[in-house]
Amino acid sequence: MDPEPQHRGDMRVSDAERDVAAQRLAAALSEGRLDMEEYRNRLDAAMSAVTAADLRGLTADLPPEAGAAPAPREGPVDLAAMAPPARPSFWRGRPEEWRSWGGGAVIMVGIWGVTSATSGEFLPFWPLIPLGIWAAVLLAGMLSGRTGGGS
């Protein structure tokens, strides 16, 4: 056998080695060295890499990491922990409020549709008034920074 198999490009890689490559790619993404599409492509290739040469090719154009290479970890890589903190989203905490509004809209438009159909003519579109007021209240809450849930 080869006394130093880690230097051979045809040596099969382990999951831990794939994770180290994924961590390096995530660091390159957070530094702005890779865009999201290229990161995804390289990450997919890293997760399906079979040999050490496959992994080296994915990080060959990236500068070496500042510190020593991290020790392989057990389990998957937590890319969210490696990324810089995200700005709070304008929509954070809002889907439930808008989901309720949408449910109310379906019910009110349904009632309007049934009453219009039974009367034989299109009645005035009354759901516009309560839905408009409700949407205005939700938008005002979003613009003021108030979150839902009574806070």
Side-chain angles (χ1 to χ4, degrees):
M1 287 193 100
D2 190 353
E4 295 185 39
Q6 66 271 19
H7 294 295
R8 293 185 50 199
D10 59 348
M11 178 61 74
R12 296 183 71 86
V13 293
S14 67
D15 287 340
E17 291 168 307
R18 288 183 195 96
D19 287 344
V20 169
Q23 289 172 350
R24 187 153 178 220
L25 292 171
L29 175 68
S30 68
E31 293 168 353
R33 297 181 192 280
L34 298 175
D35 63 22
M36 186 55 76
E37 183 177 345
E38 186 175 11
Y39 166 73
R40 285 183 184 139
N41 292 338
R42 289 186 187 204
L43 182 63
D44 289 343
M47 291 297 106
S48 61
V50 176
T51 65
D54 296 338
L55 287 180
R56 275 197 300 271
L58 297 172
T59 58
D61 61 342
L62 299 175
E65 291 182 305
R73 299 182 337 185
E74 293 296 322
V77 175
D78 184 7
L79 297 177
M82 299 185 70
R87 293 184 332 171
S89 171
F90 181 71
W91 294 101
R92 185 179 188 106
R94 306 294 181 208
E96 191 59 41
E97 294 174 356
W98 286 103
R99 196 172 298 122
S100 297
W101 182 88
V106 168
I107 291 169
M108 287 184 227
V109 171
I111 292 170
W112 171 81
V114 168
T115 56
S116 291
T118 57
S119 71
E121 63 182 358
F122 284 112
L123 299 175
F125 190 67
W126 60 265
L128 186 62
I129 295 169
L131 290 175
I133 293 170
W134 193 356
V137 169
L138 291 176
L139 286 172
M142 289 174 66
L143 294 175
S144 71
R146 181 191 61 79
T147 60
S151 56

